[in-house]
Amino acid sequence: MDAVFSGLATGFAVALDPFNLMLVLLGCFFGTLIGALPGIGPINGVAILLPIAYGLGFPPESALILLAGIYYGAEYGGRISSILLNVPGDAGAVMTTLDGNPMARNGEAGRALSLSAVASFIGGTFAVILMSLFAPLLAKFAVTFSPADYVALMVFAFASLASLVGKNPTKTLLGALIGLMLATIGIDANTGIARYTFGIPDILAGIDFLIVVVGLFGMAELLTLVEHQVSGKLKALPVDNSFVRMSDIAKTKWTILRCSIIGFFIGVLPGTGASVASAVAYGTEKRICDTEGTFGKGDMRGLAAPEAANNAAAGGAMVPMLTLGIPGSGTTAILLGALLMFNIQPGPMMFTQRPDIAWGLIASMYVGNVALLVINLPLVGLFARMLTIPQHYLTPLIAILAFIGIYTIVGNPFDLLLITGLGLFGWFLRKLDFSLAPVILGFVLGGLFENNLRRALSISGGDWGILVADWKSVTLYGLAALVVVLPLWLARRNRPRPEGAPVGVED
């Protein structure tokens, strides 16, 4: 424990240096702006600014602090477009749309944005505290997860989808299946065979996540606005001066605490990230708290759950990167590359050989969480006023952001046609009362599931028994079965009995 406090003292001396403090603030501010652009997300924000930080000749600790600030800022910024426009900024923000956007449509945009900021602050701070205290121990446990254990984790995540969103579990699972099918498009990495490409060379490498999320959410939302405008159903969204209250924080405090823990531990597992953490956290809270069926209709707990989880997961993903040199997410993979660019090898020795960088980065995350709260809470009213923009102006604005964002990142004109096609498909699914969140999560989790299943079967020589050979896998399968069976059993137990039926006799 003395080593932890000594390391933190070293870290804060680095993080609170005036130059580094300025970089933290700039990183959080510009990260928020980058994250607010639909489809850009933290991974692309960090990737775009990494060459700038390196080219300006910043010291390694300063460059890492700037990039980490952008990472955290973009994690929060993605929630702005999710809540206001129903267009998630990244995969981790998909679950935020489920209750955040209904709150905005009910005239509580300011309340939703400020609650999001508070939940993100608590989740992020909680994660950094746990990282400071238990990082080496947690990293050693995380690295014991085999490909078979990851398969079990994905099965648990898919089982959580069954009652995650929407009123119809069948449509929810069908949506996840559509996402899985989209994830299989492209050349099979093992066999080299093209799957479901229909001779189109532009999708041989598969469909990028940005294309799917911007098409299914951004373009589908745009087409819905156009439809309402043509039919005369377009109404101005109500905007008031709502702001988070202490009673809101009191109501959501246990949700935020539980989901911070869930998010952090899932974030520690290499390759999972905020999308898995937010999905599992939301599903858990829905089962624990949603006794009145208010989740998905603007419930504060449904907004606080993914917000706390995804920021906690962002902190957790730093643990394997710093202690083992294994990136915990796509964004930390870029941060790992930044360390290697500066000839710094992450790992256990980094904390003793370069404590200024390791502990400086950790301390900057404490500072960054506070900076995000200080920067974003005063701007909540300004963000909420975006809803006062007439929606016939908002429609082309969404289109411009979607097309420019995709073309800037991908640079392929075909992808503009692809997001238009996916937008039409997403609009059609909406007309059939499908929720689009399971489609996105199925797409994200599908790649992880397939890759780890292939690795596990390669290790065992095709023996499927490897999938249940470890206690961690068996535990996760048991939890997955419980997640599916328990709600059905509770619903049957609580079903009203016919009048006059003897006690203990089922109808």
Side-chain angles (χ1 to χ4, degrees):
M1 191 61 68
D2 290 339
V4 170
F5 287 119
S6 174
L8 282 175
T10 301
F12 276 109
V14 174
L16 295 178
D17 174 82
F19 179 67
N20 290 337
L21 185 59
M22 178 191 71
L23 291 178
V24 170
L25 296 174
L26 287 175
C28 289
F29 178 73
F30 285 109
T32 301
L33 296 181
I34 290 170
L37 297 174
I40 301 299
I43 184 169
N44 292 296
V46 174
I48 291 168
L49 294 173
L50 172 58
I52 297 175
Y54 185 76
L56 289 174
F58 288 164
E61 64 274 15
S62 300
L64 263 293
I65 285 172
L66 172 63
L67 295 174
I70 292 167
Y71 180 20
Y72 258 49
E75 284 286 347
Y76 174 74
R79 280 74 205 154
I80 297 172
S81 58
S82 299
I83 292 170
L84 298 182
L85 303 177
N86 198 32
V87 182
D90 58 13
V94 169
M95 308 311 299
T96 302
T97 63
L98 300 179
D99 285 277
N101 188 251
M103 286 183 70
R105 293 181 181 276
N106 294 334
E108 296 180 314
R111 192 181 184 191
L113 288 167
S114 51
L115 176 61
S116 167
V118 171
S120 297
F121 167 74
I122 296 173
T125 302
F126 187 83
V128 181
I129 292 172
L130 288 180
M131 179 168 59
S132 303
L133 297 175
F134 305 113
L137 183 64
L138 289 170
K140 287 179 181 177
F141 174 72
V143 83
T144 65
F145 259 64
S146 66
D149 297 328
Y150 277 106
V151 170
L153 180 63
M154 295 303 110
V155 169
F156 173 66
F158 280 122
S160 298
L161 284 173
S163 60
L164 194 61
V165 291
K167 299 178 182 178
N168 191 328
T170 303
K171 288 185 176 179
T172 301
L173 291 176
L174 278 174
L177 183 61
I178 290 170
L180 278 170
M181 292 170 66
L182 290 173
T184 61
I185 292 174
I187 293 179
D188 187 328
N190 278 39
T191 63
I193 296 173
R195 303 183 296 184
Y196 313 118
T197 59
F198 303 103
I200 302 172
D202 293 277
I203 56 174
L204 285 174
I207 302 177
D208 192 276
F209 168 76
L210 292 177
I211 308 295
V212 175
V213 74
V214 171
L216 288 180
F217 273 90
M219 298 304 291
E221 181 72 14
L222 183 150
L223 291 171
T224 302
L225 288 175
V226 171
E227 179 193 13
H228 290 169
Q229 188 172 347
V230 171
S231 62
K233 297 178 182 178
L234 197 60
K235 298 178 181 178
L237 295 177
V239 178
D240 59 12
N241 296 320
S242 60
F243 198 76
V244 67
R245 299 186 287 265
M246 288 304 298
S247 59
D248 298 335
I249 298 173
K251 182 179 179 180
T252 58
K253 63 179 184 295
W254 295 116
T255 291
I256 292 173
L257 178 61
R258 281 191 295 266
C259 294
S260 297
I261 296 171
I262 291 171
F264 177 75
F265 283 103
I266 290 180
V268 168
L269 299 175
T272 49
S275 54
V276 179
S278 59
V280 172
Y282 186 91
T284 301
E285 285 305 300
K286 184 176 172 67
R287 290 181 183 83
I288 293 174
C289 304
D290 192 21
T291 56
E292 300 173 356
T294 54
F295 271 51
K297 301 176 181 177
D299 194 303
M300 291 183 299
R301 296 165 298 181
L303 171 62
E307 287 301 276
N310 56 45
N311 272 60
M318 291 283 193
V319 172
M321 185 200 77
L322 290 175
T323 57
L324 298 172
I326 301 172
S329 65
T331 312
T332 52
I334 297 176
L335 293 176
L336 175 63
L339 284 170
L340 296 175
M341 282 174 64
F342 286 102
N343 295 318
I344 297 165
Q345 181 62 51
M349 298 304 295
M350 182 175 160
F351 283 81
T352 53
Q353 294 176 349
R354 296 302 302 269
D356 54 329
I357 293 177
W359 287 108
L361 182 59
I362 291 173
S364 76
M365 293 170 70
Y366 283 99
V367 178
N369 274 302
V370 176
L372 274 175
L373 200 64
V374 171
I375 290 170
N376 285 291
L377 281 183
L379 297 177
V380 160
L382 178 62
F383 291 140
R385 301 305 295 177
M386 288 173 59
L387 293 180
T388 62
I389 300 173
Q391 292 198 18
H392 56 274
Y393 294 133
L394 195 61
T395 303
L397 177 62
I398 293 175
I400 290 169
L401 289 174
F403 281 115
I404 290 179
I406 289 298
Y407 193 73
T408 301
I409 298 299
V410 183
N412 185 355
F414 174 82
D415 291 326
L416 302 183
L417 297 175
L418 196 54
I419 63 170
T420 305
L422 286 170
L424 285 167
F425 183 56
W427 174 79
F428 179 69
L429 289 177
R430 281 188 176 190
K431 300 294 286 183
L432 295 177
D433 200 28
F434 275 78
S435 172
L436 298 179
V439 181
I440 301 295
L441 292 170
F443 181 81
V444 173
L445 301 180
L448 292 170
F449 177 80
E450 182 184 15
N451 291 337
N452 283 292
L453 179 62
R454 285 181 178 277
R455 290 188 191 117
L457 293 177
S458 296
I459 292 170
S460 67
D463 181 6
W464 290 80
I466 192 174
L467 298 180
V468 290
D470 188 88
W471 67 269
K472 295 189 288 295
S473 300
V474 173
T475 303
L476 287 168
Y477 288 128
L479 289 172
L482 193 65
V483 159
V484 173
V485 173
L486 188 60
L488 298 175
W489 178 76
L490 289 175
R492 183 175 177 80
R493 193 189 67 170
N494 297 331
R495 187 192 310 167
R497 292 188 177 86
E499 292 185 14
V503 176
V505 178
E506 295 288 342
D507 54 323

